[in-house]
Amino acid sequence: MGRKKLIYVEGGQRHTSPIPEGVVAGGFVFLSAVRGVDETGSPPEDTARQAQLLFENMKRALATAGATLDDVVKIAVYMMDLQRDRPVFNRIWEEHFGSEPPARFAVQVLDMGVAGDHSKFLADVTALAPQS
């Protein structure tokens, strides 16, 4: 492996932009623009289901890099409606991370970058890469 390894995920979320789902480099796994979409790339209307799919897509991408949710050290979460959707997202977050969550911040944004997209969440994830 060179200085970095690109991550492309089979099934689940696939980016439409010319970017990989993630990169392994410098002892870390970096996942880009993880969203709560199904295998067709569409986000469900239901907020909880969309948050659940985000975590499913995160786990799938991490597994491709040989990592798990236990390896996640920081997540940046971008939300379309922070005050309305954060309580639902927090509930799903706690189901996945329990009493040892990674660092996190969340901010509200106006656009998730895809025309006509109804995503409520987008996550930028940093995890520890597995030891070689």
Side-chain angles (χ1 to χ4, degrees), residues 7-8 12-22 31-35 122:
I7 299 169
Y8 293 97
Q13 176 184 334
R14 293 297 312 249
H15 290 307
T16 56
S17 300
I19 59 173
E21 280 73 47
L31 302 182
S32 55
V34 180
R35 297 184 305 129
L122 182 143

Side-chain angles (χ1 to χ4, degrees), residues 29-30 52 56 64 100 106 127:
V29 178
F30 303 96
Q52 185 64 40
E56 289 175 19
T64 300
E100 293 190 34

